[in-house]
Amino acid sequence: MAFTSSYTDGLIQQSEYYYGTPEMTPGLSGSFSGSFQGDGSSLTGVGGSSGKFGISDSSGSYTYYSDLSSSLQAATAGDTIQLFTNVTEASDHVYHLKDKVDFNFNGNELFISASATLDAKDMFSDNDIAVSCSFYNGRIRFTQGTGVGIFNRLLYIDNPASEITNIGFEWEVENGTNATPYYPIRNDGTLNGGKFIGGPDIFNYLIETYGVLKNLNVYAKKGILFKGYLKKHYNLKVHTYGGQAGSEGTNSYVYDSYFHAETGQGLSAFYVINCTIIADDGAGITGTRRLVNSTIRNANGIGVSLNGEMIGGSVYTDNDISIAAGSSEVLGVTIYNKDYLGPGITLGNGEVSNCAIIDDYAHNGQKSIEVDSGATTATITNCTFDFYTNTTLNTAITADDDDTPVFFANNTFKNCTPTNPTKVTQAVLNTPDAQGNISINN
């Protein structure tokens, strides 16, 4: 008589088929067959050392592999390679990703140790073939020999059509020198999600991207080098502890992101929208053509160096200029400056309008806006100037040169003298109309 008994052992659903009667109990001898469905992590006595990796078939039964290379070789589109324990790969393997072959590490770590003889290899890559795959629930940690001239990438997404998605997954480059090809992770396609960690010996940027970055969390000595022309990057969180959080190699868009540099500059980027940039000891952001609704907090460096316009948001700078505007536009920004006798804003033939400009340094003789030498069309309108210390020795608008023409109108001045009459000449010559409107032509 045949009967079936099903029960659950941890994550494993087991079914056993007995021949005989139900009264035949442990110690049963005779023939039986069965299958195991689940992730395989609770199995004992099955697969032995060969059960580190597994691929299940349509019925949930696993084929087990002793290393990642053999499991990748066997995998086909639609498969998920599972890791059932922490694994160290001490050999000099390289892994070519396959389209629609995913990875689930089940909370485990793959540790890769490259020898000092392996050089200029990509440990994980798409081999310049378009692939789309995902990594789930675990981490890959990589270390390598630190001999002179030796360097390997951990991850290289080479094909522009490739997309790698990370969900609950980390990539860590533990150490290694920075010989060619310089950056441990390079992306020419789309890299979406995941945490990327760089050790203190990785002194250059952890990530170099010509493609698109989305939803990344980066913690490294230096963060991301943006090189893709007019590529759009979203929802990045970058924290660096030894250099710049983000740097621009060409014109890029960065949206809804957070950059924090403990030392050095926070960010350089062409278009920055809805971002937060923090630099504990360095400049905030440079080289920006359009800075929109963003917050900059920095010390010991210029807060914002503009090549275009800043619209909305705020800047709070200690011990330097908050905004070096040049011939750019600064519109609707809240500017806090805490610098002994230095200006909050330097302005060339540009415009500052509808801004709240606050000097937060408790000392008289402060100044808010200083017009650059040689400027002739600086425009300052509809702004509020407020100084921490109430004294007429503070000056809202001044200039490098004597008798500098400045177009200023409809501003509010608090705790200060509006202009330095030796330095500034009012360039608005017309009077208000019956409705109080003033036309400013420069």
Side-chain angles (χ1 to χ4, degrees):
M1 175 180 177
F3 67 97
T4 301
S5 174
S6 297
Y7 60 95
T8 300
D9 178 14
L11 296 176
I12 310 304
Q13 178 69 38
Q14 304 188 31
S15 298
E16 298 180 354
Y17 302 88
Y18 297 93
Y19 292 87
T21 65
E23 289 76 15
M24 297 177 68
T25 55
L28 165 72
S29 62
S31 62
F32 67 94
S33 62
S35 63
F36 299 87
Q37 298 180 355
D39 65 8
S41 59
S42 298
L43 295 175
T44 59
V46 178
S49 62
S50 65
K52 298 173 183 177
F53 298 87
I55 301 173
S56 67
D57 60 20
S58 58
S59 67
S61 296
Y62 280 87
T63 301
Y64 296 95
Y65 303 89
S66 60
D67 55 46
L68 183 57
S69 294
S70 57
S71 61
L72 257 173
Q73 184 176 4
T76 58
D79 284 341
T80 296
I81 298 172
Q82 305 232 18
L83 177 62
F84 298 130
T85 186
N86 292 330
V87 172
T88 296
E89 294 277 17
S91 300
D92 290 338
H93 294 300
V94 294
Y95 308 99
H96 292 157
L97 304 173
K98 290 184 174 180
D99 190 33
K100 296 180 175 58
V101 173
D102 297 334
F103 302 82
N104 186 350
F105 277 34
N106 296 298
N108 295 302
E109 176 188 89
L110 175 65
F111 175 54
I112 302 171
S113 177
S115 72
T117 60
L118 191 69
D119 183 32
K121 301 296 183 182
D122 305 315
M123 311 311 294
F124 285 84
S125 79
D126 59 8
N127 201 29
D128 200 18
I129 298 171
V131 302
S132 176
C133 63
S134 299
F135 288 79
Y136 299 91
N137 307 322
R139 70 197 309 259
I140 295 172
R141 182 165 54 97
F142 174 55
T143 190
Q144 60 185 316
T146 57
V148 175
I150 299 296
F151 189 78
N152 302 285
R153 291 188 183 99
L154 172 56
L155 175 64
Y156 183 16
I157 305 173
D158 191 7
N159 193 291
S162 291
E163 180 167 0
I164 307 301
T165 299
N166 299 283
I167 300 174
F169 203 87
E170 296 181 357
W171 300 77
E172 179 178 357
V173 182
E174 194 172 62
N175 66 7
T177 59
N178 280 47
T180 182
Y182 302 114
Y183 307 104
I185 295 169
R186 173 167 163 172
N187 167 54
D188 291 0
T190 299
L191 186 55
N192 184 5
K195 185 172 184 178
F196 296 82
I197 303 168
D201 292 333
I202 307 300
F203 60 84
N204 216 324
Y205 291 96
L206 179 65
I207 299 174
E208 176 188 34
T209 183
Y210 289 83
V212 173
L213 302 177
K214 300 188 290 187
N215 307 307
L216 268 61
N217 188 340
V218 179
Y219 183 77
K221 197 168 185 177
K222 296 180 73 173
I224 301 172
L225 179 59
F226 298 98
K227 284 191 172 179
Y229 181 67
L230 298 182
K231 295 296 184 181
K232 297 181 178 180
H233 310 281
Y234 301 89
N235 194 31
L236 309 178
K237 184 178 181 181
V238 184
H239 187 161
T240 57
Y241 56 86
Q244 193 162 340
S247 179
E248 177 138 282
T250 187
N251 300 343
S252 299
Y253 292 80
V254 183
Y255 296 88
D256 305 315
S257 296
Y258 173 93
F259 295 85
H260 182 184
E262 293 181 15
T263 62
Q265 183 171 293
L267 177 67
S268 62
F270 203 58
Y271 297 95
V272 178
I273 300 97
N274 298 326
C275 292
T276 297
I277 299 104
I278 299 172
D280 295 337
D281 189 14
I285 181 170
T286 62
T288 181
R289 174 64 181 82
R290 182 166 296 169
L291 180 60
V292 180
N293 293 333
S294 295
T295 299
I296 294 85
R297 177 70 173 91
N298 75 294
N300 303 316
I302 296 174
V304 177
S305 296
L306 285 174
N307 290 333
E309 59 191 15
M310 182 175 182
I311 303 171
S314 65
V315 185
Y316 194 141
T317 302
D318 285 345
N319 301 321
D320 214 313
I321 297 163
S322 291
I323 301 178
S327 296
S328 302
E329 295 178 316
V330 182
L331 309 174
V333 180
T334 300
I335 300 123
Y336 298 84
N337 186 261
K338 193 172 184 179
D339 184 22
Y340 177 65
L341 299 182
I345 302 171
T346 57
L347 178 66
N349 291 320
E351 177 183 357
V352 179
S353 182
N354 295 289
C355 294
I357 307 165
I358 301 159
D359 190 295
D360 216 24
Y361 202 98
H363 183 82
N364 57 33
Q366 298 292 108
K367 50 192 175 184
S368 283
I369 297 180
E370 187 169 65
V371 179
D372 297 336
S373 180
T376 58
T377 59
T379 302
I380 303 164
T381 59
N382 302 306
C383 292
T384 299
F385 295 83
D386 190 2
F387 289 79
Y388 184 93
T389 300
N390 183 5
T391 173
T392 56
L393 296 176
N394 298 324
T395 305
I397 304 170
T398 187
D400 283 336
D401 301 333
D402 291 345
D403 299 320
T404 300
V406 178
F407 296 81
F408 61 96
N410 202 32
N411 299 295
T412 300
F413 303 98
K414 182 179 178 182
N415 300 333
C416 66
T417 297
T419 66
N420 180 336
T422 302
K423 298 291 185 180
V424 173
T425 298
Q426 171 61 273
V428 177
L429 301 179
N430 57 313
T431 58
D433 64 13
Q435 290 76 38
N437 300 303
I438 296 176
S439 296
I440 297 177
N441 299 307
N442 54 11

